[in-house]
Amino acid sequence: MKNIGRWLPVLLLCLFLLPGCTDFSSGDQSLREDTVPVEVSFWNPFGGGEGEFVERIIKDYNASQHGVFVKQLRLESNEYYARLSTALSFGKGPDVAVVHADRLSPFIKAKQIVPLNTLAERGGFQFHEIGEQNLQSVLYGGQYYAVPLDTHFHMLYYNKEILAKAGLLTAGGTPRLEENTPAGFIRLLRQIAARVPGVQPMAVNTPYFQESFLDLYYEAGGELFSPDMKRAAINNEKAVKVLTFYQQLFEEGLSDLNDNTPWDSFYNGQAGLWFGGVWEAGHHLGNSALDIGIMPLPPIFGSPSHWGSSHTLVIPAYVSEEEQEGAMDFMKYFSEVGGNIWGEAGHVPANLEIAKSRAYRELPYRDLFIQSRDQVKFAPQTDKYAALFTAMSEELQNIVRNRIQPEAGLKVLEKSLNQILAN
């Protein structure tokens, strides 16, 4: 019994790290050879349509050489960071992993991921081939801690058939928004509601409302924190106006507050407009039953700035030198070659050559994607961002779900954020 007690923590960790309801695959097991000297485990949260593109990249990489074999563990997105954090803390898990740019700082502070400058130089990877905003998001103390894969953000998706029925489709096939103001946008939605009954004029991403909020809050010129990152800066008139705008949509029935799968509502032709991610482009455009258009988010709150983030690849500190080199080789391939496939998924590749290539620009709406990418506002670099973002997400949900007055809700949010910043 004593021996069991000694080994119980190890057994529990092993059980935690088991795939469970995940996809543990290599892209193509038939490509594996017994003589492959380095096997690299790749953890990622890419499901749905994204997962298919990652499968292609891994399969192509494994077929392109015989020195490294990549196998992937695909985790559910809602549990990904909890399991990755536990794995890194215990020193056993992936050899290369996906981390959003705004989630890097805590892992760097804890020295759980390695700087990549030397590895990149040895492996022939050039960081200057990456866009400047992406580079800055992974630069800490003069060292690059991740290879950025993309920039991702929201666009305005619109159902052309619904807008045409409402008489709101221009000759160029875009929404007829006559005034780029909150009031002008609401008038457009009211016209859809009056002329095309039975559909939501606009589906709002209430399950991830913080992103919907940040899109328009950044348009209004809002900031989350003070420049020195010591105080919250979100309790202001700009935030009040954005929350009031969304609450008006829900109160007038222009958006359904209780729609827990708004992306499906739009995909199924039950909504006229949708602020959707670029990663959804292939999904929506691939629906032959609908005629879908995409354009940059209208600057109804004054500027084209909007929320955005980036997927990056990192190498944990516990990984052996040989596996680090194998992981770096895969990361280099993902950026320089796999980026072509990743661009098909909808993300704007961080690799400048791919993003500027004719093949990428000829994909539907990609020139507009580039235009929107250049207006993205990334999260500030702080090792507290995960806790701050969680608090912000929960309180913004509370404000809209429970119809709390914006001024009162923002006071509570400000207090919560300041407590985290002061800890």
Side-chain angles (χ1 to χ4, degrees):
M1 292 298 292
K2 291 181 179 179
N3 288 335
I4 293 176
R6 287 169 55 195
W7 287 100
L8 183 58
V10 177
L11 291 171
L12 289 174
L13 173 61
C14 292
L15 286 172
F16 179 86
L17 293 176
L18 283 173
C21 298
T22 59
D23 179 10
F24 203 175
S25 62
S26 64
D28 188 345
Q29 291 288 347
S30 64
L31 294 173
R32 181 171 180 175
E33 299 179 4
D34 293 336
T35 58
V36 170
V38 178
E39 188 173 87
V40 170
S41 172
F42 173 37
W43 282 22
N44 68 77
F46 297 128
E50 292 176 309
E52 299 173 8
F53 294 95
V54 174
E55 285 280 350
R56 287 171 55 192
I57 293 170
I58 295 172
K59 179 179 178 180
D60 290 352
Y61 174 72
N62 286 337
S64 71
Q65 45 72 53
H66 300 289
V68 181
F69 180 81
V70 173
K71 61 179 181 179
Q72 75 162 326
L73 174 60
R74 185 185 300 158
L75 298 166
E76 295 296 332
S77 59
N78 59 355
E79 64 180 32
Y80 180 74
Y81 282 106
R83 296 184 66 174
L84 178 62
S85 296
T86 301
L88 296 186
S89 296
F90 279 95
K92 185 173 179 60
D95 302 310
V96 58
V98 169
V99 175
H100 285 80
D102 49 40
R103 296 275 195 150
L104 286 171
S105 187
F107 299 131
I108 296 170
K109 183 178 181 180
K111 298 182 179 179
Q112 292 176 331
I113 59 176
V114 300
L116 300 178
N117 295 50
T118 301
L119 269 173
E121 185 176 355
R122 288 207 306 260
F125 179 75
Q126 304 293 328
F127 275 103
H128 68 256
E129 295 177 354
I130 302 297
E132 185 61 27
Q133 185 178 33
N134 290 112
L135 275 186
Q136 291 301 315
S137 73
V138 302
L139 181 65
Y140 290 78
Q143 292 282 327
Y144 297 116
Y145 279 83
V147 171
L149 298 180
D150 59 52
T151 306
H152 53 269
F153 44 88
H154 294 142
M155 302 281 284
L156 175 61
Y157 290 74
Y158 53 95
N159 185 309
K160 294 183 182 181
E161 182 179 354
I162 291 176
L163 292 184
K165 286 181 179 178
L168 296 170
L169 196 67
T170 68
T174 59
R176 191 183 302 279
L177 179 59
E178 296 178 354
E179 182 184 333
N180 266 325
T181 65
F185 197 77
I186 287 175
R187 281 198 297 273
L188 175 75
L189 298 182
R190 286 172 177 166
Q191 289 174 315
I192 296 174
R195 300 170 186 176
V196 192
V199 302
Q200 282 189 74
M202 177 174 165
V204 172
N205 196 351
T206 49
Y208 299 94
F209 180 70
Q210 69 280 356
E211 294 175 3
S212 301
F213 168 82
L214 288 176
D215 279 329
L216 300 187
Y217 181 59
Y218 287 157
E219 278 193 1
E223 297 288 346
L224 297 180
F225 313 108
S226 61
D228 61 7
M229 289 299 299
K230 292 183 177 180
R231 301 287 298 175
I234 198 171
N235 183 12
N236 56 56
E237 188 61 29
K238 295 171 183 176
V240 169
K241 289 181 178 179
V242 171
L243 289 170
T244 300
F245 167 81
Y246 278 116
Q247 287 185 335
Q248 184 175 354
L249 300 191
F250 299 134
E251 289 167 3
E252 292 192 24
L254 301 174
S255 297
D256 183 359
L257 179 60
N258 298 313
D259 186 353
N260 293 319
T261 55
W263 44 85
D264 285 338
S265 296
F266 182 79
Y267 182 80
N268 294 327
Q270 298 167 346
L273 304 178
W274 164 242
F275 287 0
V278 289
W279 58 91
E280 301 173 38
H283 180 62
H284 291 307
L285 295 177
N287 186 348
S288 59
L290 300 179
D291 189 4
I292 301 301
I294 307 175
M295 63 180 288
L297 298 181
I300 59 177
F301 275 85
S303 84
S305 295
H306 52 90
W307 168 88
S309 187
S310 171
H311 296 110
T312 76
L313 296 180
V314 303
I315 300 177
Y318 55 74
V319 176
S320 70
E321 183 176 348
E322 185 180 35
E323 289 167 339
Q324 284 185 15
E325 292 179 355
M328 190 70 232
D329 189 70
F330 171 63
M331 292 157 68
K332 178 177 185 292
Y333 181 92
F334 201 129
S335 174
E336 298 175 356
V337 182
N340 290 290
I341 294 176
W342 201 229
E344 294 176 26
H347 303 284
V348 178
N351 183 285
L352 292 172
E353 184 176 345
I354 293 175
K356 293 176 181 177
S357 70
R358 180 176 179 180
Y360 177 75
R361 294 297 185 112
E362 287 181 346
L363 293 170
Y365 299 102
R366 274 10 183 228
D367 281 338
L368 294 178
F369 284 21
I370 295 292
Q371 179 182 327
S372 290
R373 177 205 61 185
D374 294 340
Q375 303 299 331
V376 160
K377 186 178 179 68
F378 279 1
Q381 288 185 338
T382 169
D383 58 325
K384 299 177 181 179
Y385 188 72
L388 293 165
F389 192 74
T390 297
M392 184 168 59
S393 303
E394 291 175 351
E395 190 53 44
L396 289 171
Q397 279 275 353
N398 188 43
I399 292 171
V400 296
R401 291 289 187 186
N402 296 305
R403 295 178 167 83
I404 294 172
Q405 287 296 316
E407 293 87 350
L410 288 169
K411 285 182 180 178
V412 174
L413 174 56
E414 179 184 42
K415 181 179 179 180
S416 178
L417 296 179
N418 282 334
Q419 287 175 341
I420 295 170
L421 289 169
N423 186 353

